[in-house]
Amino acid sequence: MSVVPLRQNNTFHKDPKFGRLLLVSLIAHVLVLVVFSVDLFGTKVRYKPPVYYVDLIHKPVLNPQAGRPDPRPVSKPKPEPVKPAAQTVTPAVPREPVKPEVKPLVKPTPAAEPKPKPKPAEKPVPKPTEKPVAKPVQAKEQKLQSALDEIRERQAREAEREALKDKLAKLRDSVGAAATVPADVPVGMPDGQGDEVGVSALAFVQAFIQQNWVLSPYLLDQSRIADFEAVATLNYSASGSLTSYSVDRLSGNKQFDDSLKTAIVKSRQLAQPLPKELKLVVTFNLKDIAAARR
Amino acid sequence: MELVLNAGPVVKLVLLILVYFSVVSWTIIFYKQLVIRRAIRDSDRFLDFFWSKKRFDAISQGLDGFRQSPLTVLFREVYRELAQSRRQSDGQESDNLVADLGEQERVARVLRRSTTSETHRLEKYLSFLATTGSAAPFIGLFGTVWGIMDAFHGIGTSGSASLAVVAPGISEALVATAIGLVAAIPAVIGYNHFVNKVNVLTGEMDNFSQEMLNIVQRMSRGN
């Protein structure tokens, strides 16, 4: 009896090799990935080139000179129209010789009420003049009187202007130092003692991080009742890159501390290079940040 | 590319799984395309060859030219079975009618078995395409849900719900769904295409089996 062989169909067909096709598929996927990730056809032209905002005033320096850190609040056009008006009046010829005579008259009058002043000044003058003077002299006296009145009016207006100027100066003082500083004050720091134009690197880094800091409105509201403060040590390279950082003192509020770390990481590249490699110990206070944002 | 690199570890794992599904699916698509196209081409050529010849031994000598056709396998198995039964019947004396009926049954069984095995061969790996087509979108959706959970956690930490904070996390998460669909769509299309082609070939095998049985029946009656 002969032995019947089992079926051996598997070797009959010449199927393609699966491993080779797997390699082809893998290469196809890599090609698709390359096509999508690399700009082969210049399709990225439609994207706008990145815009870099360069702050030429806030240049971080080691020893800033005395001056203002921010020149923007100075408003030139408003005070200017007042100055030329005063200048046009002052050059008037009769002003200089009259000054010594008028000052005692004007001094007792309050600066805020210019209108009632001329009236008491007019009253005493005509009384003594009318009684003793004879008719031929009357014409000269009248002329003198009118000239005197004119001078007094002018002095009154002058005094009014001076009072307004004083008021304006007081208002400027109350608004803040930035507003009082004229435009030609050099850029620096209020407590600067060096000779470099720019702001201190510490202030620059602190402002930059605070700018990148995303704080919830709830936390900002809390600044009225809570005082969160954290201290961080930041190591920046001369190119403005953050090399390492550590939060030395946490505020105790998790949300504040977490968002501070996020802001520091977000500020890993400063907008401008630093004068040299720096290790900065920066204090972040919630109240200060909230005040700056209001 | 940045979206993928910035994604979380779970989303990255999901993306890796989806890439695996996609690579293997395309491998199967290439494989089945080659196998089934050759099978259809060789089947057409084999049928022409088969009906042009009048002797089984002449056909069996030319089978090497149609190796990818499932019909070739059917014929080869029937021929082998007939040759074997003829060798056995040459050595034994038995009732002719009983012997003929037994031979036809054996040929029918061989044809059924060969058809089944060839169908299985043609359907090989198609189940993976079906699995990819149905599971890949869900795997991608899982990655997206996980990524959005992460994004919302980040929003809670930063304390800001602005678009600048929300949008990057969600777009990173949505990449998983996109890759899931990229893997699933070709798999579903390929599966439907190849199942249809396999059905066509199975139909051809059934028809060929009937023809073979008729021929064997005629042969046994001496027509």
Side-chain angles (χ1 to χ4, degrees):
Chain A
M1 188 178 167
S2 62
V3 178
V4 178
L6 293 172
R7 289 185 75 236
Q8 292 175 342
N9 285 344
N10 294 338
T11 54
F12 184 70
H13 294 297
K14 282 184 178 175
D15 285 343
K17 290 187 177 177
F18 197 82
R20 198 173 291 174
L21 291 172
L22 189 69
L23 193 68
V24 171
S25 173
L26 206 63
I27 290 168
H29 277 76
V30 170
L31 279 176
V32 169
L33 194 71
V34 167
V35 166
F36 274 94
S37 58
V38 179
D39 183 24
L40 292 178
F41 310 107
T43 50
K44 282 186 181 172
V45 174
R46 67 176 183 272
Y47 296 116
K48 288 179 182 175
V51 178
Y52 296 102
Y53 292 96
V54 181
D55 197 341
L56 297 174
I57 305 297
H58 282 158
K59 181 188 169 191
V61 292
L62 285 178
N63 296 309
Q65 63 187 5
R68 67 185 191 283
D70 191 357
R72 283 171 292 181
V74 176
S75 53
K76 287 178 183 176
K78 283 184 180 177
E80 270 176 359
V82 178
K83 283 175 184 174
Q87 282 172 356
T88 49
V89 175
T90 45
V93 182
R95 188 194 163 196
E96 284 180 8
V98 176
K99 259 187 181 177
E101 292 176 14
V102 177
K103 271 183 181 174
L105 290 173
V106 177
K107 269 180 184 174
T109 58
E113 295 171 359
K115 283 181 181 175
K117 284 173 207 167
K119 285 175 184 174
E122 283 171 2
K123 281 176 186 174
V125 176
K127 281 173 186 175
T129 49
E130 281 174 5
K131 286 174 184 177
V133 178
K135 283 180 182 177
V137 186
Q138 207 167 356
K140 278 186 181 179
E141 272 189 1
Q142 277 178 352
K143 275 185 183 177
L144 281 170
Q145 186 63 41
S146 63
L148 191 63
D149 290 346
E150 202 176 309
I151 289 166
R152 279 174 182 163
E153 274 179 25
R154 202 176 289 160
Q155 290 302 318
R157 266 185 261 136
E158 194 81 11
E160 192 182 342
R161 279 195 200 102
E162 289 293 328
L164 284 171
K165 274 184 186 176
D166 287 345
K167 267 192 171 183
L168 189 63
K170 280 176 185 172
L171 278 171
R172 280 177 178 169
D173 284 339
S174 64
V175 167
T180 58
V181 178
D184 56 346
V185 168
V187 173
M189 294 296 287
D191 55 347
Q193 294 176 344
D195 55 353
E196 292 178 88
V197 179
V199 296
S200 78
L202 183 70
F204 176 80
V205 170
Q206 190 178 30
F208 190 79
I209 292 172
Q210 287 181 3
Q211 199 180 338
N212 287 330
W213 200 334
V214 180
L215 274 170
S216 71
Y218 170 73
L219 204 59
L220 286 170
D221 274 351
Q222 273 200 324
S223 67
R224 290 173 188 170
I225 50 169
D227 188 15
F228 299 134
E229 192 174 271
V231 180
T233 303
L234 313 166
N235 291 307
Y236 275 99
S237 67
S239 64
S241 300
L242 182 72
T243 51
S244 65
Y245 79 95
S246 63
V247 182
D248 303 332
R249 186 155 55 82
L250 293 167
S251 70
N253 182 290
K254 190 176 181 303
Q255 202 179 352
F256 181 86
D257 296 335
D258 286 351
S259 58
L260 167 62
K261 287 171 193 170
T262 310
I264 291 172
V265 173
K266 207 173 164 187
S267 312
R268 58 185 173 272
Q269 180 58 55
L270 297 174
Q272 293 200 38
L274 295 172
K276 63 172 189 174
E277 189 179 332
L278 287 175
K279 181 182 181 179
L280 303 165
V281 180
V282 191
T283 304
F284 297 98
N285 189 283
L286 179 62
K287 279 189 175 171
D288 293 344
I289 298 166
R293 291 190 183 186
R294 269 181 209 130
Chain B
M1 194 66 186
E2 281 177 14
L3 290 175
V4 176
L5 294 175
N6 292 334
V10 175
V11 178
K12 277 182 185 166
L13 182 69
V14 165
L15 291 177
L16 267 180
I17 292 168
L18 290 173
V19 167
Y20 165 78
F21 269 100
S22 179
V23 169
V24 176
S25 292
W26 277 102
T27 307
I28 291 168
I29 288 168
F30 292 147
Y31 178 85
K32 298 313 285 187
Q33 180 63 25
L34 286 175
V35 168
I36 289 175
R37 194 183 65 188
R38 287 176 187 173
I40 291 171
R41 185 195 61 196
D42 283 5
S43 293
D44 289 345
R45 287 174 54 225
F46 173 74
L47 284 175
D48 291 342
F49 178 73
F50 179 82
W51 294 115
S52 67
K53 302 288 178 187
K54 290 181 179 177
R55 293 177 62 85
F56 273 12
D57 53 353
I59 296 168
S60 68
Q61 284 170 3
L63 290 181
D64 283 346
F66 319 102
R67 276 182 174 269
Q68 300 303 318
S69 170
L71 305 182
T72 314
V73 175
L74 263 61
F75 174 80
R76 184 167 159 265
E77 291 299 309
V78 169
Y79 182 75
R80 190 183 285 175
E81 182 60 37
L82 285 174
Q84 203 165 355
S85 66
R86 289 293 153 88
R87 274 201 302 274
Q88 284 179 350
S89 63
D90 285 348
Q92 296 173 359
E93 286 194 7
S94 59
D95 184 6
N96 279 339
L97 184 61
V98 174
D100 289 346
L101 287 173
E103 190 178 70
Q104 285 171 32
E105 274 184 20
R106 283 201 301 277
V107 168
R109 278 200 294 273
V110 164
L111 282 169
R112 275 201 299 276
R113 188 189 63 193
S114 299
T115 302
T116 307
S117 71
E118 282 304 299
T119 306
H120 284 163
R121 184 180 74 86
L122 291 170
E123 285 179 345
K124 194 176 165 187
Y125 302 132
L126 284 184
S127 61
F128 189 89
L129 288 185
T131 305
T132 303
S134 57
F138 289 110
I139 295 170
L141 194 63
F142 166 73
T144 297
V145 170
W146 193 275
I148 288 177
M149 277 164 56
D150 257 4
F152 277 115
H153 183 74
I155 291 162
T157 306
S158 70
S160 174
S162 67
L163 199 63
V165 177
V166 179
I170 291 175
S171 72
E172 282 162 22
L174 285 173
V175 167
T177 301
I179 302 287
L181 292 174
V182 165
I185 290 167
V188 170
I189 293 171
Y191 176 78
N192 289 332
H193 174 75
F194 294 130
V195 163
N196 181 44
K197 294 288 179 190
V198 169
N199 285 339
V200 169
L201 283 169
T202 309
E204 277 192 17
M205 281 191 282
D206 287 340
N207 292 341
F208 185 72
S209 298
Q210 299 302 322
E211 292 291 345
M212 283 296 290
L213 278 174
N214 288 341
I215 291 167
V216 169
Q217 204 171 14
R218 283 200 294 271
M219 281 168 60
S220 64
R221 287 179 182 171
N223 293 333

